[in-house]
């Protein structure tokens, strides 16, 4: 793998996050957090992540598939 310059990294990041699939998944994550804030309140979610029990990339969605977890636990899961 070749090393990218900062300009190439920025371009890659911009192109990747503008893909329709990535935009849809980001919208789903944002909607999940908004739903949990409405249900539990902003204070309860402070410093926490909204987790999808079945990951979006594995076909999981919002609804009953959400839970509140610590950042360390949620981002420390193995994939």
């Amino acid at each position: 793998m070749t090393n990218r310059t900062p300009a190439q990294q920025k371009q890659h990041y911009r192109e990747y996050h503008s893909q329709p699939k990535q935009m849809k998944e980001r919208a789903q994550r944002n909607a999940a957090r908004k739903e949990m804030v409405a249900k539990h309140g902003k204070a309860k979610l402070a410093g926490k992540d909204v987790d999808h029990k079945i990951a979006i990339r594995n076909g999981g969605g919002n609804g009953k598939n959400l839970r509140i977890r610590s950042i360390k636990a949620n981002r420390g899961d193995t994939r």
Side-chain angles (χ1 to χ4, degrees):
M1 185 171 140
T2 61
N3 292 330
R4 293 185 176 127
T5 65
Q8 289 171 327
Q9 289 174 334
K10 188 174 182 179
Q11 179 183 1
H12 173 73
Y13 186 85
R14 187 173 48 248
E15 288 172 358
Y16 177 77
H17 289 286
S18 65
Q19 293 175 354
K21 180 182 176 199
Q22 295 307 316
M23 290 169 66
K24 183 180 175 186
E25 289 180 0
R26 181 173 60 249
Q28 211 173 1
R29 287 190 298 271
N30 291 343
R33 183 152 190 100
K34 186 175 181 180
E35 181 182 327
M36 293 298 271
V37 166
K39 187 175 180 180
H40 298 285
K42 201 171 187 178
K44 188 167 183 180
L45 271 75
K48 302 284 185 178
D49 274 350
V50 174
D51 176 42
H52 288 81
K53 295 173 193 173
I54 300 172
I56 293 172
R57 69 180 165 273
N58 294 332
N62 294 345
K64 294 186 178 192
N65 189 35
L66 301 176
R67 61 185 169 187
I68 300 170
R69 293 181 77 191
S70 71
I71 292 172
K72 185 175 182 178
N74 188 42
R75 298 180 191 180
D77 284 346
T78 56
R79 293 187 179 168

